[in-house]
Amino acid sequence: MGVKIAVLKEMTAGESRVSATAETVKKFIALGAELAVESGAGATASVADQAYADAGATVADRATVLANADIILGVQGPEPLSINGAKPGAWLVAGLNPFVERARVDGYAAAGVEALAMEFMPRITRAQSMDILSSQSNLSGYKAVLDAAAEYGRAFPMMMTAAGTISAARAFVMGVGVAGLQAIATARRLGAQVSATDVRSATREQIESLGAKAVFVENVKGIEGEGSGGYATEMSDEYKAAQAELVSSHIAKQDIVITTALIPGRPAPRLISDAQIATMKPGSVIVDLAVESGGNVEGAIAGEVVERHGVKIVGHRNVPSRLATDASALFARNLYNFLSAFWDKEAGRPVLPDEDEITQAIRLTQGGKVVNARLLGA
Ligand code: NAD
């Protein structure tokens, strides 16, 4: 009997994704694993129970799926008490939101589970295909533009019609990481005139190569190149003041603003104030993709579309889940790429070497203890 991999139905409200698809089930089985999928796990991501069964998985209730499982897959972290029955030392492989869900991490340790947080995957070439943050952010950036278009009472492209001309929408993307780049590309495809900004100087060329205009703070130095690991840090007060001035002069002319700025382990930076929103034209739309991390936009509310000064501020939660089928397909492949890369043929299961950079980054708990350096404040 091969290693048993359990695929759970997500219990978090508003979570429509699933951590395995028929495709990845088939691939795991080809490696020699036994797959057990909780009934209905894929229903909201367009994967029917029958599709899992046809791929070779057992489909059953949660207790049966968890019984003696070696590896548990999830999109988000389950309640520790909801995963009873797995083997001692079983791996839990999911997006575990470790800083926010710190109490759960203690729960996994107490339950004897080895929790592996996929969002802590290091940004190294070898791990690119395992990176859930990238795969999900890319879809968020795309969906943010569609969400903006849906709320906007006007068209994106310039149109010359017999009844007269409609001018192109002006879209401004703030934060040009994975989500921002996809937002630029998507807004351009819809026909908007796009500009974008970031604190990392390496993004200037990326913005321009997508045919958008780079709008940067010039008088105060930003972050050289990519920044550490591709991530931004909190900026100096001097930089923030210069950035606020830049935004004030630019934003009043924009119809659509998409904000994506994040700082790992800290609240999202505030980029747009209520006073700046008041200078925008009525009917403009702002989408704040950072709303669940504290928000880039003053007045944005997680899970709501609010109106301030005639401007709509869109704050959808869990944007990747709004494209559940593709988001699941990519998420599931990230998990498969990770587990198959560490597959040990003799052991018939994946093995994580203690000294591996990936192991050290993602392993949160082991042997009943929290072992992750980032969580232990190192
Ligand atoms: P992120 O989600 O952490 O942040 C989004 C963007 O917001 C970043 O570009 C960041 O610089 C920007 N930002 C932060 N504070 C800001 C502020 N005050 N004002 C304006 N912008 C601000 O970033 P991300 O999307 O995860 O990607 C960051 C980088 O990492 C990218 O260059 C990406 O290509 C790289 N990356 C590398 C790998 C890999 O090598 N395996 C994987 C994923 C991403």
Side-chain angles (χ1 to χ4, degrees):
M1 201 74 122
V3 65
K4 180 176 177 183
I5 302 180
V7 178
L8 299 183
K9 182 173 160 65
E10 298 299 309
M11 312 255 273
T12 312
E15 182 54 79
S16 302
R17 293 170 293 174
V18 62
S19 55
T21 56
E23 175 196 304
T24 63
V25 160
K26 237 184 242 164
K27 287 180 168 172
F28 279 125
I29 291 173
L31 289 175
E34 179 199 334
L35 270 285
V37 179
E38 186 175 348
S39 307
T44 49
S46 318
V47 192
D49 284 352
Q50 191 59 47
Y52 288 117
D54 291 347
T58 318
V59 179
D61 59 57
R62 193 171 180 98
T64 308
V65 162
L66 281 166
N68 277 315
D70 298 278
I71 299 173
I72 304 166
L73 305 185
V75 174
Q76 299 197 37
E79 278 298 338
L81 292 177
S82 79
I83 52 170
N84 282 337
K87 278 204 187 123
W91 292 5
L92 171 63
V93 184
L96 299 175
N97 202 4
F99 292 116
V100 175
E101 299 290 354
R102 186 63 178 78
R104 271 193 190 167
V105 177
D106 291 333
Y108 300 140
V113 167
E114 180 165 332
L116 303 171
M118 291 296 287
E119 60 269 77
F120 277 8
M121 195 58 75
R123 294 200 148 168
I124 52 177
T125 309
R126 178 165 64 100
Q128 242 165 349
S129 68
M130 315 170 189
D131 186 351
I132 60 167
L133 291 183
S134 291
S135 73
Q136 306 299 294
S137 296
N138 179 48
L139 291 170
S140 295
Y142 163 81
K143 189 66 173 172
V145 175
L146 297 193
D147 283 337
E151 296 292 344
Y152 190 45
R154 306 172 66 185
F156 268 43
M158 183 182 87
M159 293 186 201
M160 296 209 260
T161 80
T165 300
I166 288 175
S167 53
R170 288 171 189 270
F172 181 37
V173 177
M174 302 188 72
V176 187
V178 178
L181 284 171
Q182 188 56 255
I184 294 172
T186 305
R188 290 260 305 152
R189 262 181 235 131
L190 283 180
Q193 273 182 35
V194 185
S195 58
T197 193
D198 201 293
V199 291
R200 294 182 297 114
S201 64
T203 59
R204 184 189 289 265
E205 213 181 284
Q206 297 165 355
I207 293 166
E208 286 166 355
S209 73
L210 287 174
K213 185 170 176 253
V215 177
F216 276 68
V217 170
E218 304 288 357
N219 48 340
V220 185
K221 227 162 92 176
I223 297 170
E224 296 287 335
E226 283 280 1
S228 114
Y231 285 117
T233 48
E234 178 142 12
M235 305 306 285
S236 66
D237 288 344
E238 195 192 2
Y239 186 95
K240 285 185 196 163
Q243 189 183 40
E245 200 177 308
L246 177 81
V247 172
S248 291
S249 63
H250 191 64
I251 206 168
K253 292 173 255 151
Q254 302 306 313
D255 303 297
I256 305 292
V257 180
I258 312 278
T259 72
T260 77
L262 292 174
I263 302 170
R266 322 209 71 197
R270 178 54 48 84
L271 302 180
I272 300 180
S273 69
D274 186 67
Q276 288 168 331
I277 295 169
T279 69
M280 295 180 74
K281 279 170 281 184
S284 301
V285 181
I286 305 176
V287 178
D288 187 348
L289 278 184
V291 70
E292 287 176 293
S293 307
N296 294 141
V297 181
E298 186 173 359
I301 299 176
E304 290 183 27
V305 178
V306 296
E307 201 169 314
R308 307 281 292 160
H309 312 291
V311 175
K312 283 186 184 162
I313 309 172
V314 179
H316 292 307
R317 288 181 192 275
N318 196 350
V319 176
S321 179
R322 296 167 62 73
L323 285 167
T325 305
D326 272 337
S328 300
L330 299 186
F331 193 105
R333 281 189 208 135
N334 290 145
L335 299 194
Y336 173 79
N337 291 337
F338 162 58
L339 291 169
S340 62
F342 287 96
W343 211 270
D344 181 318
K345 279 214 183 84
E346 257 161 54
R349 59 162 296 150
V351 173
L352 287 177
D354 288 336
E355 67 285 358
D356 193 288
E357 187 179 355
I358 292 178
T359 309
Q360 292 179 1
I362 67 172
R363 187 186 269 156
L364 303 185
T365 62
Q366 192 182 37
K369 288 204 236 15
V370 176
V371 297
N372 190 274
R374 280 171 82 183
L375 287 184
L376 295 171

